[in-house]
């Protein structure tokens, strides 16, 4: 199992009837300090067949907070849902716990046993647990460390055990349930990160999603924080440490049914809400990491738990498969960088060395903003200048020669009017050769175009903003052909020609290579112009297409044009017909 991946929905057959019997939960609550509980449990009529309802209806009930109407209901739901989780054949259960706990502790106090090493540096929230509950929490974690020696890092685990203890009959039941979540073995599924590598990959994935789905918040954080990744690395702590109990338990309700993807959604909703509550001026000189933590801890002052969840489920993320691919790509990048054990990773602001960075087009501060937009797995690496018209001349062939072999790249253009724009290009320029004599588009949905001066703005693939427009492609389906770009510029902007309708079929993916995140073949796109990312020929280069071209340059890298295009849904990035003053291409060292 590689790292952390979204969890499949638990499907309950209609034959399963889970009767809710309050008497079966009479033991629940022995670990709770009732004076610290936010409010008394409400009494409600509980249909005996509630847990035999279809998964879609069960999800709806959980999202609406139905479990919160009865302590007995929530306790029974948790136990029954977790018992349905597919896990390894030999998974420690309640009987094993009683035996191991008796052997480990006997008459000795828990304090004589150190907590597992995988909890070093991790916080241990106790929520509304009483002293007996805190003692039970420590005992369970010690037994987990004893029975799951492969766990090397898991900061979320104490919170999950603590939440389960509020609704467990005894320590043994709680241990048995958390063991099933740890030992889950469904394909592409993991409830709990169990290594530093998996945890870091999840944090990078959240950073990528925040970059795409919370652009205003990301821009604010990138402009005021010294270390954006350090801020995003706390995303799970927001949910299962900083949120008040009555919010955290509602998150746990939907998490058990819908898996880790729902955690991304709720953390993104918190980030969006935070952006609404602060301004750049207020954050000047502020520790944004601590400020965000304080905001989440006092979330009740800003939004109710129902409204928070409503906004979270209004965020349209990509499919579980796409998020899994992104996590795998992030994990691979960390391994290539040698970051597999608990250690500090180089944040993006250090990747762009503020003292030694040198560009003829952008300042180090401007490059820092651009670097904050690129996917996390690439921002691990510092920028490397590959091509510059001031040093290499205005030659398209020289441009290709310098850039081939590097993936991805960042293109920067400064016009004679002083405007600065560019593009992040996810694929190697050598991909253009696979189309033969015709010039076909290539690249992935991670490509984007941007402006730096006079305004700083980014324009991503249109399906980032509207993923519902594209449907996932069945696994057996092959990649659809790429549309051909328009014939690119001649030596002047007036020499542009109209689009052609030729189609080219890209070469199949190389065997053994990880399928890229947001590859076109994963989607059923409504039009051919929706995936015109990048194209190159002897006549020039084109970035973005459909109704126009986001950027196009002639063979002399001297004249260019920018228009609105359907791929990125961007306005012209500068004066529509422009003359190039300077052009640079940046790659990624050791990428």
């Amino acid at each position: 199992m590689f790292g952390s991946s979204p969890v499949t929905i638990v499907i309950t057959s209609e034959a399963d009837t889970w009767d809710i019997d309050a008497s079966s939960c009479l033991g629940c609550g022995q670990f709770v300090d009732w004076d610290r509980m936010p409010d008394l449990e409400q009494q409600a009529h509980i249909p005996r067949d509630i847990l035999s309802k279809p998964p879609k209806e069960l999800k709806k009930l959980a999202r609406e907070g139905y479990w919160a109407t009865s302590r007995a209901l929530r306790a029974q739901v948790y136990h029954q849902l977790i018992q349905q989780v597919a896990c390894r054949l030999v998974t420690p259960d309640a009987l094993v716990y009683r035996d191991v706990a008796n052997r480990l502790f006997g008459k000795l106090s828990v304090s004589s046993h150190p907590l597992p090493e995988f909890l070093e540096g991790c916080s241990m929230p106790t929520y509304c647990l009483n002293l007996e509950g805190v003692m039970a929490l420590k005992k369970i974690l010690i037994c987990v460390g004893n029975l799951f020696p492969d766990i090397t890092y898991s900061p979320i685990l104490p919170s999950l055990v603590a939440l389960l203890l509020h609704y467990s009959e005894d320590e043994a039941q709680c241990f048995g349930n958390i063991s099933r979540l740890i030992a889950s073995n469904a394909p592409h599924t993991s409830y709990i990160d169990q290594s530093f590598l998996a945890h870091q990959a999840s944090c990078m994935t959240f950073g990528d999603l925040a970059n795409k789905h919370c652009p205003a918040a990301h821009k604010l954080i990138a402009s005021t924080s010294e270390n954006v990744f350090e801020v995003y690395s706390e995303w799970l702590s927001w949910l299962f440490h900083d949120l008040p109990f009555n919010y955290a338990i509602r998150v746990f309700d939907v998490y058990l049914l819908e898996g880790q993807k729902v955690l991304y959604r709720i953390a993104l909703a918190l980030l969006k809400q935070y952006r609404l509550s602060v301004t750049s001026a207020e954050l000047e000189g502020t520790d944004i990491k601590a400020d965000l933590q304080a905001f989440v801890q006092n979330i009740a002052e800003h939004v109710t738990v129902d409204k928070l969840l409503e906004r979270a489920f209004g965020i349209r993320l990509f499919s579980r498969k796409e998020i899994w691919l992104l996590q795998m790509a992030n994990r691979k990048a960390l391994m290539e960088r040698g970051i597999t054990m608990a250690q500090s990773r180089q944040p993006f602001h250090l990747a762009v060395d503020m003292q030694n960075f040198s560009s003829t087009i952008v300042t180090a501060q401007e490059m820092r903003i651009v670097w904050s937009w690129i996917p996390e797995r690439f921002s691990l690496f510092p920028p490397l200048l590959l091509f510059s018209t001031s040093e290499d001349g205005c030659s398209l062939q020289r441009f290709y020669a310098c850039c081939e072999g590097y993936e991805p790249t960042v293109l920067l253009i400064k016009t004679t009017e002083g405007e600065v724009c560019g593009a992040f290009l996810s694929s190697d320029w050598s991909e253009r050769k696979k189309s033969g004599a015709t010039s076909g588009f290539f690249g992935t949905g991670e490509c984007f175009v941007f402006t730096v001066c006079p305004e700083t703005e980014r324009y991503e693939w249109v399906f980032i903003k509207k993923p519902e427009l594209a449907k996932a492609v069945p696994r057996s389906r092959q990649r659809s052909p790429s549309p051909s770009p328009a014939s690119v510029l001649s030596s002047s902007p007036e020499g542009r020609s109209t689009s052609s309708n030729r189609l080219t079929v890209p070469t199949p993916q190389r065997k053994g290579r990880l399928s890229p995140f947001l590859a076109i073949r994963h989607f059923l796109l409504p039009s051919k112009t929706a995936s015109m990312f990048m194209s190159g020929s002897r006549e020039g280069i084109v970035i973005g297409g459909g109704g126009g071209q986001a950027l196009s340059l002639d063979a002399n890298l001297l004249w260019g044009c920018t228009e609105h295009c359907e791929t990125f849904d961007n306005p012209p990035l500068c004066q529509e017909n422009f003359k190039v003053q300077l052009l640079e291409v940046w790659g990624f060292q050791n990428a």
Side-chain angles (χ1 to χ4, degrees):
M1 177 63 65
F2 289 107
S4 164
S5 306
V7 178
T8 52
I9 297 169
V10 176
I11 298 177
T12 308
S13 67
E14 294 185 4
D16 291 334
T17 301
W18 295 345
D19 290 339
I20 304 301
D21 180 2
S23 65
S24 67
C25 301
L26 290 176
C28 299
Q30 62 176 305
F31 304 119
V32 177
D33 181 346
W34 293 103
D35 292 333
R36 292 167 58 194
M37 289 290 276
D39 46 44
L40 294 175
E41 295 284 345
Q42 303 173 16
Q43 295 301 315
H45 172 68
I46 306 168
R48 296 181 66 85
D49 65 342
I50 183 173
L51 293 177
S52 63
K53 293 183 179 298
K56 188 174 182 179
E57 189 172 345
L58 211 53
K59 280 171 54 178
K60 182 175 182 292
L61 291 172
R63 290 182 180 189
E64 293 174 350
Y66 195 82
W67 305 163
T69 62
S70 165
R71 175 172 187 79
L73 173 60
R74 184 176 262 151
Q76 189 79 345
V77 165
Y78 283 1
H79 184 65
Q80 296 290 358
L81 285 179
I82 294 174
Q83 290 306 303
Q84 297 295 308
V85 172
C87 59
R88 298 193 291 266
L89 183 62
V90 181
T91 298
D93 58 11
L95 290 174
V96 172
Y97 175 80
R98 292 189 180 97
D99 179 64
V100 172
N102 184 62
R103 176 168 51 83
L104 279 178
F105 307 117
K107 296 181 180 181
L108 297 176
S109 66
V110 175
S111 60
S112 63
H113 291 268
L115 289 172
E117 289 185 8
F118 66 76
L119 293 178
E120 185 176 352
C122 300
S123 59
M124 191 180 301
T126 56
Y127 296 110
C128 304
L129 295 178
N130 55 24
L131 290 177
E132 184 182 354
V134 174
M135 186 70 69
L137 171 62
K138 293 179 179 178
K139 289 173 66 177
I140 292 170
L141 291 172
I142 291 170
C143 287
V144 167
N146 187 270
L147 291 165
F148 292 92
D150 291 340
I151 300 178
T152 57
Y153 190 78
S154 188
I156 193 178
L157 193 54
S159 299
L160 300 184
V161 175
L163 289 171
L164 274 174
L165 268 172
H166 289 74
Y167 297 91
S168 296
E169 293 180 7
D170 54 27
E171 295 172 17
Q173 185 192 62
C174 182
F175 173 84
N177 284 335
I178 200 69
S179 291
R180 294 189 70 85
L181 296 182
I182 292 171
S184 168
N185 64 354
H188 298 177
T189 300
S190 173
Y191 279 94
I192 303 170
D193 292 336
Q194 299 171 36
S195 70
F196 182 77
L197 179 63
H199 175 71
Q200 288 288 94
S202 292
C203 292
M204 289 172 67
T205 299
F206 177 76
D208 286 323
L209 295 174
N211 194 349
K212 296 182 183 304
H213 294 280
C214 306
H218 180 81
K219 186 176 181 179
L220 180 68
I221 293 172
S223 62
T224 56
S225 174
E226 283 296 304
N227 190 338
V228 173
F229 181 79
E230 188 176 336
V231 174
Y232 289 152
S233 66
E234 297 297 312
W235 77 281
L236 279 171
S237 292
W238 302 342
L239 303 179
F240 291 127
H241 179 269
D242 301 328
L243 277 180
F245 175 79
N246 56 326
Y247 283 69
I249 201 66
R250 288 286 299 278
V251 173
F252 195 69
D253 288 347
V254 291
Y255 168 60
L256 285 183
L257 267 169
E258 303 188 48
Q260 206 168 57
K261 183 177 176 179
V262 80
L263 301 186
Y264 287 126
R265 276 201 171 112
I266 298 170
L268 290 172
L270 285 170
L271 200 57
K272 283 176 175 282
Q273 188 66 38
Y274 175 72
R275 177 63 185 91
L276 293 174
S277 70
V278 296
T279 63
S280 299
E282 291 173 337
L283 288 177
E284 200 67 41
T286 301
D287 181 349
I288 197 167
K289 179 179 173 182
D291 196 57
L292 237 171
Q293 181 183 32
F295 170 82
V296 176
Q297 290 171 345
N298 297 288
I299 190 65
E301 299 175 7
H302 304 277
V303 64
T304 65
V305 65
D306 289 306
K307 182 59 70 173
L308 177 67
L309 292 178
E310 179 185 323
R311 291 173 180 172
F313 290 112
I315 298 173
R316 298 298 301 271
L317 294 184
F318 286 103
S319 67
R320 286 189 290 272
K321 177 183 177 182
E322 282 298 316
I323 294 177
W324 179 79
L325 286 170
L326 179 56
Q327 288 173 321
M328 294 303 97
N330 285 333
R331 182 187 174 101
K332 181 180 178 183
L334 286 165
M335 293 176 69
E336 289 176 351
R337 191 68 169 165
I339 302 176
T340 57
M341 304 295 288
Q343 57 185 283
S344 298
R345 59 150 271 184
Q346 185 182 43
F348 82 88
H349 82 284
L350 291 179
V352 180
D353 188 329
M354 301 292 282
Q355 301 299 319
N356 299 316
F357 175 78
S358 177
S359 165
T360 58
I361 298 179
V362 293
T363 65
Q365 180 62 28
E366 289 170 335
M367 191 61 155
R368 174 180 165 181
I369 296 298
V370 172
W371 226 245
S372 78
W373 286 334
I374 66 178
E376 283 279 354
R377 64 188 184 277
F378 301 122
S379 66
L380 287 166
F381 305 96
L384 173 68
L385 183 62
L386 303 178
F387 175 84
S388 170
T389 51
S390 62
E391 296 180 8
D392 301 296
C394 298
S395 164
L396 183 59
Q397 294 310 310
R398 178 69 177 158
F399 170 95
Y400 288 142
C402 292
C403 298
E404 286 178 9
Y406 289 89
E407 180 182 286
T409 54
V410 174
L411 172 70
L412 295 174
I413 297 170
K414 184 174 184 179
T415 72
T416 53
E417 298 297 316
E419 297 168 298
V420 177
C421 58
F424 172 79
L425 304 168
S426 64
S427 298
D428 191 329
W429 278 105
S430 64
E431 293 278 318
R432 76 188 193 283
K433 299 176 181 177
K434 296 179 179 180
S435 298
T438 60
S439 55
F441 276 93
F442 53 96
T444 72
E446 287 192 293
C447 292
F448 61 82
V449 294
F450 58 85
T451 60
V452 175
C453 182
E455 299 289 336
T456 304
E457 197 59 68
R458 173 183 50 161
Y459 304 95
E460 297 185 283
W461 186 30
V462 66
F463 293 108
I464 298 288
K465 295 288 188 294
K466 301 175 181 177
E468 67 276 7
L469 297 180
K471 298 179 180 179
V473 175
R475 252 182 158 178
S476 59
R477 184 177 177 118
Q478 297 298 312
R479 179 175 178 175
S480 300
S482 287
S484 171
S487 299
V488 290
L489 294 171
S490 59
S491 59
S492 71
E494 291 79 11
R496 302 178 72 246
S497 61
T498 58
S499 299
S500 69
N501 293 316
R502 293 172 295 170
L503 295 178
T504 59
V505 181
T507 303
Q509 191 75 20
R510 293 196 296 272
K511 186 177 180 181
R513 183 180 178 186
L514 184 65
S515 181
F517 177 58
L518 300 187
I520 316 168
R521 64 178 174 276
H522 298 165
F523 301 89
L524 290 171
L525 302 177
S527 71
K528 297 175 182 178
T529 58
S531 58
M532 302 172 78
F533 300 117
M534 54 191 291
S535 175
S537 66
R538 288 176 295 181
E539 287 75 37
I541 63 173
V542 175
I543 299 163
Q549 297 163 347
L551 275 174
S552 54
L553 294 168
D554 68 1
N556 297 317
L557 302 181
L558 185 60
W559 292 99
C561 181
T562 175
E563 306 164 300
H564 168 268
C565 79
E566 294 176 17
T567 299
F568 300 116
D569 193 24
N570 60 284
L573 303 177
C574 58
Q575 183 178 311
E576 290 199 20
N577 293 311
F578 61 86
K579 187 175 182 180
V580 177
Q581 178 180 334
L582 294 165
L583 183 149
E584 292 176 347
V585 180
W586 292 82
F588 299 77
Q589 290 187 32
N590 302 319

